[in-house]
Amino acid sequence: MGEELKVIVFKLGHEEYGIEVDKVRNIERMMPITRVPKTFSFVKGVINLRGVVIPVIDLRGRFGLPESEYTDQTRLIIVAVNEMEVAFIVDSANDVIDLNSDSIQTPPEVVGGVKAKYLDGVAKIGEDRLLIMLNLSEVLNKSEIIQLESLED
């Protein structure tokens, strides 16, 4: 029997994604983002969250999905990746679920337009709901993390 995971569910377009709760610091409403020159196109800039400067990444841009307008539902999910905090822009984040690790299967090559290397797997919930589990360390690869760390200085 697999272990129980608590997972925050968020949406990009019509797809639902999950990040383990223990990797999420907090979820915030959209706030002003300070642009930073000479960064990857999916790095939208930085925010100042309670005195901490945090790089902001548009997950739609990261995955090569079309960008969309920010709405009242748009959220910033603050995650910890390799001792560093990063904010992901997502379309909405409104659910925490319990998931058995046994229900997570190896992802196919592409899920919802997202390459498998960014994914830990796909979890089947109930009869017709799929949850795409993110592989945070791959969403931010090492060279990108080095570049983002320089934004924090």
Side-chain angles (χ1 to χ4, degrees):
M1 188 75 189
E3 59 182 309
E4 284 292 311
L5 304 172
K6 274 215 178 307
V7 174
I8 290 184
V9 177
F10 66 90
K11 281 189 139 181
L12 291 177
H14 300 296
E15 304 290 340
E16 287 187 308
Y17 295 81
I19 299 178
E20 290 173 48
V21 166
D22 62 0
K23 295 186 171 124
V24 175
R25 295 280 190 253
N26 46 355
I27 298 175
E28 303 285 337
R29 292 184 174 275
M30 276 305 283
M31 57 184 69
I33 298 171
T34 304
R35 290 221 170 263
V36 179
K38 297 189 181 117
T39 56
F40 298 103
S41 61
F42 55 83
V43 178
K44 293 302 174 195
V46 294
I47 55 171
N48 183 338
L49 185 63
R50 295 182 270 288
V52 179
V53 175
I54 300 174
V56 178
I57 290 180
D58 188 331
L59 272 188
R60 281 176 163 270
R62 180 66 181 109
F63 295 154
L65 302 171
E67 287 194 21
S68 70
E69 293 291 315
Y70 302 145
T71 69
D72 290 343
Q73 298 300 307
T74 305
R75 293 291 180 267
L76 293 167
I77 299 181
I78 317 296
V79 298
V81 183
N82 303 332
E83 307 298 311
M84 186 179 121
E85 288 189 345
V86 177
F88 290 141
I89 301 173
V90 301
D91 293 350
S92 65
N94 47 11
D95 210 359
V96 177
I97 61 170
D98 291 315
L99 196 62
N100 190 303
S101 61
D102 285 347
S103 69
I104 300 173
Q105 300 165 356
T106 307
E109 278 305 298
V110 175
V111 181
V114 178
K115 292 189 181 88
K117 73 174 187 172
Y118 299 129
L119 310 176
D120 263 343
V122 177
K124 190 171 180 190
I125 306 165
E127 285 303 304
D128 55 359
R129 191 173 171 196
L130 287 180
L131 187 63
I132 303 166
M133 298 297 296
L134 284 193
N135 176 345
L136 288 183
S137 57
E138 200 52 57
V139 170
L140 288 179
N141 66 40
K142 287 187 176 48
S143 66
E144 291 162 0
I145 289 171
I146 290 165
Q147 188 170 3
L148 290 176
E149 283 173 343
S150 69
L151 297 180
E152 293 184 321
D153 298 337

